[in-house]
Amino acid sequence: MNRKLLLALFMIFTTLIFSCDTVPSKEITKKSDLVIAVVYKTLDEAWFQEESEAAKNQALKMGAKEVITIDAKMNPDVYLSALDSLITQKVDGILICIPDQKLSKITIDRCKKSNIAVIACDDPLTDNEGNYLAPFVGIDSSKIGRDMTNFLVDYLKKNNKLTNLESSGLLLMSMDSVSSCIPRTEGQLETFKNKLPSFPKENIFQAEYNGQSEKSFYSAASTITNNKNIKNWFIMSANEAGTIGAIKALEQSGLSRNAVAVGVGNYVAKDEFQKEKSPLIASAYISATKVGQIAAQELMENLLLNKNIPKKYLVKDKIITKDNYQNLILK
């Protein structure tokens, strides 16, 4: 009787062990099938190309089965169609740089309904009051704007570029349609006015563009043409494409020789720094690779480990010049 009882207990114990083992193995199988998507408003720009590639590689490194990369081509219709397709495919998570922030709410509503984790990259997903609707990984726009302006003004003072203020103009290429870019321009404007209180307010201009160099060119060219009294232009922008568009407009107008520009990024900067003469004296460098890696890591850790995603993660900048850029970004 005792033998039969022991045998029965042994069988029950063995069954429990094997049944417990099957739960983790099914969970592991499920997590190894993770499919991630990275959706960017445009992949024409070098920044988004580098960031999307870094995000893809990081997700694959952490065990994602597949990473789908989508170019929204700055087109809301293309974006919404792609989003619907990803929802139909039942992806587990999406990194999104949205082409139009007005689509933030519909994005979150659709993803929540399908239980898809979302992180906004570069441009936050916000409601009408500017409140975040999803975790955000991007850059510290306000600090970048201040850093750019501090360097610009110090350079102008050191190189005697402020001797004729009446014929000098500040041109800020701005993207007010993108909430993450607004603090950058605000930081530039506020810092410039604080450091140069005697600079003529009527010689400070803002030109709107959409983040692309072609739009920046036309917007800057219009401002330059309408203010022929300005012979010495000081340029800052919301992104690198804005800077190069404005520089091309200055070159077309024959005013690039006395112009001074500070950019954001490093792609155009590397080329401009190799020229014998360029208006671009510096750029606020941010690593697109770091933004992509951090966003992908946070998303994967959430999906794999149920780890909470920080509401906001901001990557810092560093000022690069012709003298130091090779040491700071090319090694």
Side-chain angles (χ1 to χ4, degrees):
M1 190 72 178
N2 288 339
R3 281 186 177 183
K4 289 183 179 180
L5 180 60
L6 287 172
L7 181 60
L9 289 172
F10 175 77
M11 292 297 292
I12 293 171
F13 183 67
T14 304
T15 302
L16 286 171
I17 290 176
F18 282 109
S19 66
C20 289
D21 283 345
T22 59
V23 175
S25 64
K26 286 182 180 178
E27 187 66 22
I28 290 170
T29 301
K30 180 182 177 183
K31 288 183 176 179
S32 67
D33 287 339
L34 288 176
V35 177
I36 306 301
V38 292
V39 182
Y40 284 87
K41 59 185 178 182
T42 175
L43 288 178
D44 288 340
E45 301 292 341
W47 169 275
F48 297 118
Q49 293 168 11
E50 181 178 327
E51 183 180 322
S52 63
E53 189 66 18
K56 176 181 178 179
N57 291 337
Q58 182 68 23
L60 292 172
K61 179 181 176 182
M62 294 181 69
K65 177 184 177 182
E66 182 183 1
V67 178
I68 303 168
T69 302
I70 292 176
D71 181 359
K73 303 182 183 299
M74 292 299 292
N75 187 318
D77 292 332
V78 172
Y79 168 75
L80 289 175
S81 177
L83 182 63
D84 286 341
S85 176
L86 294 173
I87 291 172
T88 300
Q89 295 176 63
K90 297 182 179 180
V91 299
D92 297 283
I94 312 178
L95 302 179
I96 296 176
C97 179
I98 202 163
D100 186 342
Q101 285 185 300
K102 295 175 183 176
L103 301 174
S104 295
K105 188 176 185 303
I106 192 172
T107 296
I108 293 302
D109 288 345
R110 291 185 183 183
C111 288
K112 277 187 176 180
K113 186 177 180 180
S114 301
N115 197 30
I116 297 173
V118 175
I119 293 180
C121 300
D122 302 298
D123 303 331
L125 296 169
T126 61
D127 62 18
N128 293 333
E129 286 71 46
N131 301 307
Y132 285 11
L133 298 177
F136 171 66
V137 177
I139 57 182
D140 192 340
S141 282
S142 182
K143 182 178 183 300
I144 289 170
R146 296 193 303 271
D147 289 347
M148 293 170 68
T149 312
N150 283 326
F151 189 92
L152 173 68
V153 174
D154 290 346
Y155 177 91
L156 296 177
K157 289 179 177 179
K158 183 178 178 180
N159 291 275
N160 298 316
K161 296 284 187 179
L162 298 169
T163 54
N164 193 345
L165 297 184
E166 294 305 316
S167 61
S168 298
L170 173 68
L171 176 55
L172 302 178
M173 304 305 301
S174 58
M175 281 194 283
D176 289 346
S177 59
V178 180
S179 64
S180 61
C181 292
I182 294 174
R184 203 169 310 164
T185 303
E186 290 176 343
Q188 293 166 354
L189 183 59
E190 180 182 359
T191 305
F192 189 87
K193 287 181 176 179
N194 288 341
K195 297 201 74 169
L196 294 174
S198 61
F199 196 89
K201 291 182 175 59
E202 63 273 17
N203 288 2
I204 297 177
F205 307 91
Q206 282 188 227
E208 185 74 9
Y209 72 115
N210 68 349
Q212 297 178 307
S213 58
E214 182 180 3
K215 296 292 185 182
S216 172
F217 168 80
Y218 288 115
S219 186
S222 176
T223 303
I224 292 167
T225 300
N226 292 331
N227 295 278
K228 295 186 181 297
N229 59 307
I230 305 297
K231 306 300 180 184
N232 307 303
W233 285 99
F234 312 139
I235 308 290
M236 289 186 287
S237 66
N239 73 351
E240 189 99 322
T243 305
I244 196 60
I247 287 176
K248 287 181 178 178
L250 287 166
E251 290 172 346
Q252 184 186 67
S253 301
L255 296 170
S256 63
R257 183 176 182 83
N258 293 326
V260 179
V262 176
V264 183
N266 74 294
Y267 309 101
V268 175
K270 288 187 290 186
D271 295 333
E272 291 296 311
F273 290 155
Q274 293 176 43
K275 295 179 180 179
E276 184 176 346
K277 180 68 177 176
S278 170
L280 189 71
I281 60 165
S283 188
Y285 168 65
I286 319 105
S287 171
T289 294
K290 189 172 182 180
V291 174
Q293 287 175 339
I294 291 169
Q297 180 173 326
E298 292 294 344
L299 181 62
M300 288 298 293
E301 287 183 350
N302 173 261
L303 294 171
L304 291 169
L305 308 172
N306 293 322
K307 178 184 173 184
N308 289 332
I309 304 173
K311 182 179 179 181
K312 182 190 296 185
Y313 191 108
L314 300 179
V315 176
K316 306 297 183 183
D317 69 301
K318 52 187 175 183
I319 297 296
I320 59 172
T321 67
K322 190 171 186 175
D323 296 328
N324 68 13
Y325 82 101
Q326 291 186 349
N327 291 329
L328 291 179
I329 64 176
L330 297 184
K331 288 188 176 180

